[in-house]
Amino acid sequence: MKDATEATRVANRAALAQVPLADRQSFEDARRGLIEALGDKLITRGDGRLVWTLKGYEFLEREDAPDSVHPGLWRHARVNMANGLYRVTDRVYQIRGFDVSNMTIIEGDSGLIVIDPLISTEVAEAAMELYLKHRPHKPVVAVIYSHSHIDHFGGVRGVVSGEDVAAGKVTIWAPAGFMAAAVGENVIAGNAMLRRALFQFGAMLPRGERGQVDTGLGKSVSLGTTTLIPPTNLIKKPVETHRIDGIEIIFELTPDAEAPAELIMYYPDFWVLNMTEITTQNFHNLLPMRGALVRDSLAWSKYIGGALHRYGGSSEVLIAQHNWPVWSGARVRGFLRKQRDAYKFVHDQTVRLMNYGYVGAEIAEMIKLPASLNQEWSAHSFYGNLKHNVRAIYQRYLGHYDGNPTNLDALPPVEAAKKSVEYMGGAEAVLKKAREDFSRGEYRWVAQVASQLVFADPANRDARELAADALEQLGYQVESATARNAYLQGAFELRNGVPNLPGGSGAAPDIVRSLPLDMYFDFMAVRLNGDKAAGKTIVLNWRFIDTKEDYVLNLENSALTFVADMQADNADATLTLTRATLDEISLQKTTYSAALQSGQIAVAGSIEKIVELLEMIDTFPIRFPVVEPRPAAISSTAR
Ligand SMILES: [Zn+2]
């Protein structure tokens, strides 16, 4: 990691004049109601491995931004350091800074209502422990999942047991569609998302003023045990009011904005509005850099506007499941107006320019927030990235293709790079010019052209170094934490190659067990190696004796399809097994071949056909190149 260059120093100083640095309200809001902080304590797993700590972020104590961090991001990263147990108002508490997300606790008449038990059980337990140290001991009687992202449910077994839920002692509430979204979002494209998430969150980057400083929504993500207990009560109507342990809660569904299944809540007894993740102290992501289906900015804005009209007049504090609260009715309303209009402005202006024919890359250059929004910290892109979001809106309506037929069948990265470098007079000539541009601070172009050199020849050490240097300076200059992480991770990989990713325990058992069979077979089908399947025809009946589910799997034309609730007369074989056996295979506790041998899977018909199909199913590599050429051909591994 290198120093900020003179050009970066100048850029970040210029940014200083553009941001509302005098507005220090957030620091006050974030600290208000603190009871006890987590400080630099370590939260570990049973085996001693680190799950969470704020230790290492001491460098953020400094008031003024260093040259290597955008001044807006520096301030945001400092406010996000507020951590511990907070009293929001009578009977409403929050634990912040124990994970990327917040846990909210409402004190009911007989017990506790926990909203969003963080990502992992270890941090959720630690959060409860801190709460109980200061408040009367009462059992948890209800859990509410605000939405289907894992930072809002993964730690649930740290606050309640499955037995208590099954026995009816605890109810679990969630928005309609929660389970399918929660277990399904990271299945089909999960491997690519996992790899790309490393760029978004910068989890492997060192913390420091030349490394990871924040993620926008919180400091980082906890690395403990993730769990899931299915909800017992679903909110299905657009607005539903329930009394849970004596507390009136108005639930309002907000689907397909920040998450496929999400809700916000208003607590009339306390005049508290919980906007969950529909508002944060950020202009959020319309398309996270890990990859996702594009989110709907227009719907998002309308949900915020609706909350403003319905609850704005009777809210004394606004809390969310990330970042810090907004206090006093007038400021709550002002905040909601700014959030509503940030999503609306960027949406409408992108679409307006789109209809003039401009393409995403051009519109991203053209859109600047109006001064009234730019002077509001919460409209800044710390988690999202304005330019990336503009392109996401374009993609949502028009797709990735910009309409220019030149790009209908453009050469792929390696071939295009080789041709470009050759036309430009060879690698040495390109490097010479690119170094001159680097010295002038033209990092965007240098990153682009040096990347072409890397794709033309990944062994070109000078090109890799120059590309890395350019990405690093771009990271130092950008206000978005996730964009900074992406640039710095890119620089790291150009210098050091694809990192050895932590082995990872794979998917959480709770999530594997909850995966609907339709999704299981959809996922099996996307792992089918089309070349190996060429010319093959296989029909397999599957009978799950414990769940009483039947499936027919059909392979022809190199495509694997299935029909549920059916068995084929002409099947090559019938497999009879339990869902539990299938889950053990998914969790890598056993394999198909072991289960076939042991009789855990009973077979009638041709076992050879089963083996033949299984040998066509790929296992995805956890490491693949992102900032340099992918292998020309993939060798797949069957299991
Ligand atoms: Zn979240």
Side-chain angles (χ1 to χ4, degrees):
M1 290 173 290
K2 297 186 179 171
D3 278 336
T5 58
E6 183 56 26
T8 294
R9 254 193 290 275
V10 168
N12 280 341
R13 272 193 210 134
L16 201 57
Q18 301 293 315
V19 294
L21 223 54
D23 177 3
R24 297 185 52 83
Q25 182 69 46
S26 301
F27 286 97
E28 208 177 292
D29 289 348
R31 285 166 191 163
R32 180 164 163 180
L34 177 66
I35 294 169
E36 186 181 336
L38 172 71
D40 61 359
K41 288 192 200 65
L42 309 179
I43 300 173
T44 55
R45 284 177 183 251
D47 62 9
R49 270 196 292 159
L50 186 63
V51 171
W52 178 259
T53 186
L54 295 173
K55 203 174 165 64
Y57 285 114
E58 295 81 3
F59 66 93
L60 286 167
E61 282 162 19
R62 175 177 157 183
E63 169 92 36
D64 297 329
D67 295 327
S68 56
V69 185
H70 185 284
L73 176 57
W74 184 257
R75 169 214 158 265
H76 188 81
R78 278 168 51 74
V79 189
N80 258 345
M81 283 303 288
N83 65 86
L85 171 67
Y86 294 84
R87 180 184 177 276
V88 175
T89 184
D90 193 30
R91 297 174 79 169
V92 181
Y93 292 78
Q94 278 196 315
I95 290 108
R96 304 186 209 124
F98 275 57
D99 207 322
V100 73
S101 42
N102 300 334
M103 186 195 284
T104 303
I105 298 176
I106 301 180
E107 298 179 344
D109 288 348
S110 64
L112 306 173
I113 303 164
V114 172
I115 298 156
D116 291 356
L118 309 178
I119 296 176
S120 34
T121 56
E122 293 84 353
V123 286
E125 279 169 21
M128 281 309 289
E129 200 178 303
L130 180 61
Y131 168 83
L132 290 171
K133 184 177 162 190
H134 295 276
R135 300 294 303 159
H137 279 244
K138 282 182 179 179
V140 174
V141 295
V143 173
I144 298 169
Y145 301 141
S146 69
H147 64 289
S148 52
H149 293 151
I150 197 162
D151 50 325
H152 302 268
F153 66 79
V156 65
R157 288 188 198 271
V159 300
V160 291
S161 72
E163 294 73 50
D164 282 354
V165 177
K169 291 184 198 162
V170 180
T171 52
I172 299 189
W173 302 72
F178 171 84
M179 279 304 275
V183 301
E185 183 166 13
N186 307 112
V187 174
I188 288 275
N191 194 65
M193 281 183 185
L194 192 68
R195 175 76 173 97
R196 291 168 53 134
L198 201 64
F199 284 74
Q200 178 173 337
F201 293 105
M204 288 182 75
L205 293 170
R207 291 164 184 185
E209 56 184 52
R210 284 183 281 174
Q212 200 262 18
V213 301
D214 206 74
T215 70
L217 291 177
K219 300 314 297 177
S220 185
V221 287
S222 72
L223 301 167
T225 310
T226 55
T227 56
L228 173 61
I229 303 176
T232 58
N233 298 58
L234 286 181
I235 305 300
K236 293 178 182 160
K237 293 190 207 138
V239 180
E240 288 186 27
T241 303
H242 294 271
R243 193 166 280 281
I244 302 176
D245 197 28
I247 307 296
E248 189 177 328
I249 300 181
I250 301 175
F251 294 94
E252 191 167 314
L253 293 178
T254 56
D256 297 319
E258 196 268 327
E262 186 154 2
L263 50 74
I264 57 170
M265 284 164 274
Y266 176 67
Y267 316 122
D269 301 338
F270 314 120
W271 286 47
V272 173
L273 176 60
N274 185 347
M275 289 298 287
T276 65
E277 200 166 333
I278 293 297
T279 67
T280 59
Q281 300 286 341
N282 284 289
F283 183 47
H284 206 287
N285 254 320
L286 300 177
L287 181 56
M289 285 169 205
R290 67 167 158 86
L293 296 177
V294 182
R295 297 163 181 173
D296 186 349
S297 185
L298 186 57
W300 202 325
S301 171
K302 287 177 181 172
Y303 293 142
I304 301 170
L308 169 67
H309 291 299
R310 279 186 284 284
Y311 315 115
S314 52
S315 295
E316 273 306 313
V317 55
L318 180 152
I319 56 173
Q321 297 302 126
H322 288 278
N323 306 124
W324 51 90
V326 179
W327 308 88
S328 95
R331 288 192 48 239
V332 166
R333 291 185 286 279
F335 171 81
L336 286 171
R337 282 201 292 273
K338 294 279 164 74
Q339 285 271 300
R340 174 198 64 192
D341 294 344
Y343 293 89
K344 195 69 163 63
F345 169 83
V346 175
H347 171 272
D348 290 355
Q349 296 308 311
T350 298
V351 175
R352 183 176 73 89
L353 293 168
M354 208 167 79
N355 280 313
Y356 276 98
Y358 294 105
V359 301
E362 293 163 337
I363 304 170
E365 295 295 316
M366 295 160 89
I367 292 202
K368 306 272 180 271
L369 291 182
S372 57
L373 288 177
N374 202 41
Q375 287 304 304
E376 168 73 24
W377 279 117
S378 61
H380 282 233
S381 295
F382 301 114
Y383 181 57
N385 179 282
L386 181 56
K387 287 183 167 181
H388 194 73
N389 277 340
V390 165
R391 290 170 189 245
I393 294 167
Y394 185 93
Q395 182 183 322
R396 183 172 172 90
Y397 290 105
L398 297 179
H400 79 278
Y401 172 53
D402 64 2
N404 179 346
T406 304
N407 297 321
L408 267 181
D409 198 20
L411 288 178
V414 170
E415 285 82 345
K418 284 183 173 162
K419 276 287 183 192
S420 296
V421 172
E422 186 199 322
Y423 274 37
M424 289 189 280
E428 273 313 307
V430 176
L431 262 176
K432 186 169 177 291
K433 285 189 169 181
R435 286 200 176 106
E436 287 163 18
D437 280 342
F438 185 91
S439 68
R440 281 190 288 270
E442 295 178 29
Y443 304 129
R444 288 169 70 191
W445 173 248
V446 175
Q448 222 173 315
V449 80
S451 176
Q452 292 238 298
L453 289 173
V454 173
F455 272 83
D457 175 16
N460 186 337
R461 198 68 235 173
D462 290 342
R464 295 180 76 104
E465 290 294 335
L466 186 62
D469 289 350
L471 288 183
E472 188 167 66
Q473 297 302 318
L474 289 172
Y476 291 168
Q477 291 183 23
V478 75
E479 188 172 32
S480 159
T482 49
R484 175 187 173 91
N485 292 337
Y487 283 129
L488 297 187
Q489 182 66 26
F492 176 89
E493 295 194 9
L494 284 161
R495 287 172 184 150
N496 305 291
V498 180
N500 266 321
L501 304 171
S505 44
D510 277 343
I511 294 178
V512 167
R513 279 192 283 267
S514 302
L515 196 69
L517 280 176
D518 277 23
M519 279 188 198
Y520 180 86
F521 288 120
D522 279 339
F523 183 54
M524 183 187 260
V526 299
R527 293 165 57 201
L528 178 78
N529 186 306
D531 295 334
K532 287 184 184 171
K536 305 280 171 57
T537 305
I538 300 175
V539 178
L540 299 177
N541 284 332
W542 296 64
R543 313 208 78 152
F544 293 89
I545 46 179
D546 50 351
T547 58
K548 301 192 171 48
E549 289 172 285
D550 286 350
Y551 276 78
V552 187
L553 230 58
N554 184 75
L555 173 69
E556 59 184 316
N557 306 311
S558 294
L560 189 61
T561 56
F562 63 80
V563 183
D565 305 323
M566 222 183 93
Q567 297 281 270
D569 298 334
N570 63 339
D572 296 298
T574 297
L575 298 83
T576 306
L577 70 161
T578 62
R579 174 63 200 250
T581 297
L582 188 77
D583 292 340
E584 278 186 29
I585 294 168
S586 301
L587 293 165
Q588 295 173 17
K589 288 186 177 153
T590 186
T591 59
Y592 272 109
S593 49
L596 287 164
Q597 268 168 24
S598 71
Q600 275 181 292
I601 301 178
V603 176
S606 166
I607 196 160
E608 292 75 23
K609 282 285 192 181
I610 300 172
V611 172
E612 195 182 350
L613 177 68
L614 292 174
E615 283 176 351
M616 299 173 195
I617 304 298
D618 282 357
T619 302
F620 298 130
I622 190 110
R623 306 167 73 214
F624 58 76
V626 174
V627 292
E628 56 189 297
R630 265 68 62 183
I634 53 159
S635 60
S636 62
T637 40
R639 64 140 141 39

